[in-house]
Amino acid sequence: IHKMLQWKKAAIVRTNVCSSTVAFTIVVLCSSSFTSAAVPCADDGTCHELVHANSSCDKSTNTCLNPFASGCLNAYDPELYEKRVCNSDDDHRSDACSIADELMDYFEIRIVPGNWESSIMTSWVLQILLSELLHVPCTIEAGGVDESTGM
């Protein structure tokens, strides 16, 4: 009888772990398919309130534009800091970034930070230093195809 009770306890634990894993997987799949970073807006005032003082509303999509698309330092002081250099994720026809000079025509650096928060934040700082101050194109890779965690 004692062995039979142990077997039932083990079966209950396995069932709970299995059902918890299935429930977690369903929640993750459902929530990720509806997740969006776009902030809906009707006017610039909404973007100023919800995103940043430099953000504006894109009337074609009714979403707030990223105020840091030209670079974090450029958004802070456009007279002092130039726009960041374009990388492979950018549309080079956009005026959010600048094309590198011939003298500064470096290969793009791809930063792979891993999954620790400290290394991800450090890679953001490195990306700002490289792309905005040194004008070296760089991207932050998330480890998957067409995934990027860059700023």
Side-chain angles (χ1 to χ4, degrees):
I1 293 176
H2 181 66
K3 287 187 177 185
M4 196 173 194
L5 288 174
Q6 285 180 337
W7 181 81
K8 282 185 177 180
K9 285 181 183 178
I12 290 170
V13 169
R14 272 190 240 121
T15 304
N16 287 342
V17 170
C18 183
S19 62
S20 297
T21 305
V22 170
F24 176 76
T25 304
I26 290 171
V27 168
V28 168
L29 290 175
C30 290
S31 64
S32 66
S33 63
F34 298 110
T35 303
S36 174
V39 177
C41 63
D43 58 2
D44 290 343
T46 306
C47 296
H48 294 188
E49 181 181 330
L50 297 175
V51 179
H52 191 270
N54 294 342
S55 182
S56 59
C57 186
D58 182 4
K59 302 299 181 192
S60 63
T61 60
N62 287 334
T63 57
C64 296
L65 295 173
N66 180 2
F68 304 106
S70 296
C72 297
L73 299 175
N74 181 266
Y76 176 72
D77 189 352
E79 293 179 12
L80 185 60
Y81 299 104
E82 298 175 16
K83 292 180 181 179
R84 66 177 175 79
V85 69
C86 296
N87 60 40
S88 61
D89 293 336
D90 291 318
D91 180 5
H92 295 290
R93 294 169 296 187
S94 167
D95 59 330
C97 59
S98 62
I99 307 288
D101 295 335
E102 285 184 28
L103 295 174
M104 306 286 272
D105 191 18
Y106 296 109
F107 288 111
E108 180 173 287
I109 295 176
R110 296 182 184 259
I111 305 167
V112 184
N115 60 356
W116 287 24
E117 287 184 14
S118 59
S119 63
I120 292 170
M121 291 179 201
T122 303
S123 64
W124 287 340
V125 171
L126 182 60
Q127 184 182 31
I128 292 169
L129 290 173
L130 286 170
S131 67
E132 296 184 32
L133 293 177
L134 300 176
H135 299 284
V136 176
C138 64
T139 55
I140 299 176
E141 301 297 320
V145 177
D146 294 331
E147 291 183 24
S148 176
T149 58
M151 299 179 64

